[in-house]
Amino acid sequence: MRPEKGLLARVSPWLLGVFVVVNLGLEAHHRRLDAQLSEAIQTASGRPDLDVRCRRWWDYVGNPRANEGFVEWGSTTATLSWKVCRGAAGWADDPADDDTRFGMMVLGHELAHLVGHRNESETECVAMWAAPKVAAALGGTAAEGRSTARW
């Protein structure tokens, strides 16, 4: 007669399966956001070599309060927080929402870094000028982009 397994031994394979399925779904969603936002900055800048990478949950392990976005000098990839990615991707659906405006402006700020602006004040200014192009690339209008820049 075999001894009966404990509760943890019976539940663990199911929990592992749920974890894997949820993470595969999250990864697919992140990849769609990466592609959507990469296409937007490529369109706004005219540079097909630029990319956006939305941070995954494991990027926050050990650094839960990481930057909203950053670009390493010499890189062609902007790394954005999950909040910023979600906001920027949803901007065209609700351009008056503060979270989506914030996401769109951070995306524009990091785009300015990607095209070579290093000074933070200058980068903010460039992001405001780039807002109409980024807005159009995200599916909005240039007027909505200007409104977001004024925000």
Side-chain angles (χ1 to χ4, degrees):
M1 177 178 232
R2 254 179 47 191
E4 191 172 318
K5 291 182 179 181
L7 179 63
L8 185 60
R10 288 182 287 171
V11 173
S12 293
W14 293 102
L15 290 176
L16 180 61
V18 168
F19 179 79
V20 167
V21 168
V22 166
N23 278 289
L24 287 173
L26 285 172
E27 182 61 23
H29 182 66
H30 274 82
R31 286 179 186 235
R32 281 192 303 275
L33 285 177
D34 291 348
Q36 177 188 1
L37 298 178
S38 292
E39 183 180 336
I41 66 166
Q42 290 167 2
T43 301
S45 68
R47 292 204 28 205
D49 60 324
L50 302 181
D51 289 307
V52 171
R53 181 183 176 276
C54 299
R55 295 181 77 189
R56 282 29 175 198
W57 66 265
W58 55 81
D59 293 323
Y60 293 96
V61 174
N63 192 8
R65 294 183 297 149
N67 301 358
E68 297 296 341
F70 67 91
V71 172
E72 294 182 17
W73 298 124
S75 174
T76 58
T77 301
T79 303
L80 304 176
S81 73
W82 171 242
K83 175 185 173 187
V84 168
C85 285
R86 190 178 60 227
W91 179 82
D93 296 331
D94 191 2
D97 178 72
D98 287 348
D99 286 338
T100 62
R101 284 177 169 177
F102 179 74
M104 201 272 270
M105 290 308 296
V106 171
L107 180 64
H109 177 96
E110 300 309 331
L111 171 59
H113 281 313
L114 287 171
V115 297
H117 299 277
R118 291 184 177 221
N119 178 289
E120 288 297 319
S121 298
E122 179 183 322
T123 301
E124 281 299 312
C125 186
V126 170
M128 290 174 56
W129 284 102
K133 286 184 177 182
V134 175
L138 288 171
T141 66
E144 290 170 329
R146 286 188 294 276
S147 173
T148 295
R150 283 190 300 273
W151 168 81

